[in-house]
Amino acid sequence: MDDSDTAAILPGDVLNAISADHTSNSDSFDHKEEADVPSPLPTTRSVRPPFPCWRPLSVEPVMFLSMFSVALQAPLSTQYLWDRISEDLGYNGSKRSECSNSSVPADPLQKDVETLTAHWNLYISLGGFAVGLLVVPLLGSWSDLAGRRPVLILPNFGMALQAGVYLVVMYLKLPVVYFLVGRLLSGLSGDFNAILAGCFAYVADTSDRRSRTFRVAVLEACLGLSGMLASIIGGQWRRAQGYINPFWLVLATNLASALYAYLFVRESVPPDPSAKLLTSRHHKAVWHLYSTGGNGSEGSGGFHRCKLWLYTLCFFLVVTVHFGSRDLYVLYELSSPLCWGPALIGYGSAAQHLAYLSSLLGLKIMQYCLKDSWVALVGLASNITGLLVFSVADTTQLMFTGYGLCFLFMAATPVLRSKLSKLVDPSEQGALFASVACVESLCFLVGSGVFNSLYPATLHFMKGFPFLFAAIILLIPSGIIGILQCLDQRRDHRDATGS
């Protein structure tokens, strides 16, 4: 850390020194120190947590706790919808006979239950993410001025409110349409996407360019570890005690995450007390970034802007496949021929989230001998092969084989986030992660809409077709990343030889 620089910019404030240190480290690569140093802002004690610890604490626990609540809630809410719709339609579990005898024709009611459950998942996702699509860019860009901590606290309260609404629905056995109400309330606070945007922006604030890819991968590994624990706990707990008690834990976890962010997370940017949330300035910053290529476009602004758009497209396609196919795993496993119970569903979800950790380890190892782009391609190849196996899986063994082949499927997203972050100046990180949060909200929206509609529409000819479709889609970002890396290598070679 460059203590002299930080003392010169913001003397006497350790929190502001963190932000200034990140600026000076990143500027050593871009040679734009004076342009990237933020204008002097009124210092305030609000940048310090109420109970500062003797060691700096980062945002990984916030990500861990928030993801734990999401991973615990998502499969349980789908199973609750399945059970409520089955009860309403009079479907009494005839799928058990299909598991014992594959020659038994499918119960028509089972297809009705699958279709209605997929549609309600679609409505709930569309409602929440449509609202979040408007709110998340505002919160993400606003955090560049007002600080990251508010964006880590407010969405957790919104998610806790959603869990409270779900509990009321379960206690009173209200119509499932009230799930949509809870989802909308969470979307108005930014939902989990706003927490993602705040956490990744915080990491960009406090890391240099060389270590950023691995720091982002560590943050995503927190997603996997918490998701794995929540999946195992959720499956066993639901079988033992039903749905209500696990949702109380969801509520408590969101409140704990908000409390941790408020008490212990140090601010990474100097807050501006005059920063307004409801202003067009935030959307204009994002538009400027993608229309001009940003201040970091250097000499070749056109090519730089093109790379920004292409990497954003790759991120959109990869994350859309992740979230779209994730909604279908539980439905695919609940119905014949797999007919999994809560325990196996929990183990399957845990195996999926374990890939976050194996991807982190694989990324670290591959970085010693491969450039980041080739690491991303290996991760995409792992994802494609796993999806191909899922598309034809008709046994438990084959389903877990698909989970095993996806052991590197999360290696691509940290590389893409890091590449996007490195394409812009440190002063533009807030606008960048606001746009990434917007894209991620759109990924939820499009992924949920396409895959939850595609699944019931293709049940009659190929149950696993959505997974095959997802594998084909991933060929597009694979080609784009490979071509851009080859162009960069050719350009570097030409510059080195002087031709």
Side-chain angles (χ1 to χ4, degrees), residues 18 87 205 301 388 428:
I18 295 176
E87 182 181 347
D205 294 337
L388 290 175
E428 298 172 314

Side-chain angles (χ1 to χ4, degrees), residues 56-68 152 156 195 199 218-219 222 226 253 256-258 260-261 264-265:
L57 298 178
S58 190
V59 293
E60 283 79 5
V62 176
M63 181 74 87
F64 181 94
L65 292 171
S66 300
M67 182 60 196
F68 183 90
L152 301 177
N156 271 301
I195 297 174
C199 289
V218 169
L219 204 57
C222 292
S226 60
T253 304
S257 179
Y260 173 88
F264 302 118
V265 173

Side-chain angles (χ1 to χ4, degrees), residues 207-236:
S207 64
D208 56 36
R209 293 165 60 95
R210 181 173 300 178
S211 64
R212 191 166 303 165
T213 300
F214 185 70
R215 283 289 308 276
V216 170
V218 169
L219 204 57
E220 293 201 358
C222 292
L223 298 175
L225 180 59
S226 60
M228 178 180 62
L229 294 177
S231 300
I232 295 175
I233 293 172
Q236 298 290 348

Side-chain angles (χ1 to χ4, degrees), residues 101 123 169 214-215 242 272 292 331 356 359 403 449 458 463:
N101 186 359
Y123 302 149
V169 172
F214 185 70
R215 283 289 308 276
D272 180 2
T292 66
L331 282 177
Y356 284 83
S359 297
Y403 282 126
T458 57
K463 189 169 187 175

Side-chain angles (χ1 to χ4, degrees), residues 377-461:
L377 289 177
V378 173
L380 289 172
S382 172
N383 199 357
I384 290 171
T385 54
L387 288 169
L388 290 175
V389 172
F390 289 142
S391 68
V392 297
D394 56 0
T395 64
T396 297
Q397 292 81 3
L398 200 56
M399 197 69 186
F400 277 104
T401 299
Y403 282 126
L405 290 173
C406 284
F407 75 109
L408 290 175
F409 88 108
M410 286 305 299
T413 49
V415 171
L416 290 171
R417 290 184 197 271
S418 178
K419 281 187 172 294
L420 286 168
S421 179
K422 293 174 183 178
L423 283 172
V424 302
D425 279 351
S427 61
E428 298 172 314
Q429 293 295 329
L432 173 73
F433 280 99
S435 65
V436 171
C438 181
V439 170
E440 201 151 1
S441 296
L442 189 61
C443 291
F444 277 110
L445 187 69
V446 174
S448 298
V450 170
F451 285 88
N452 279 292
S453 299
L454 190 63
Y455 180 75
T458 57
L459 280 174
H460 64 283
F461 70 90

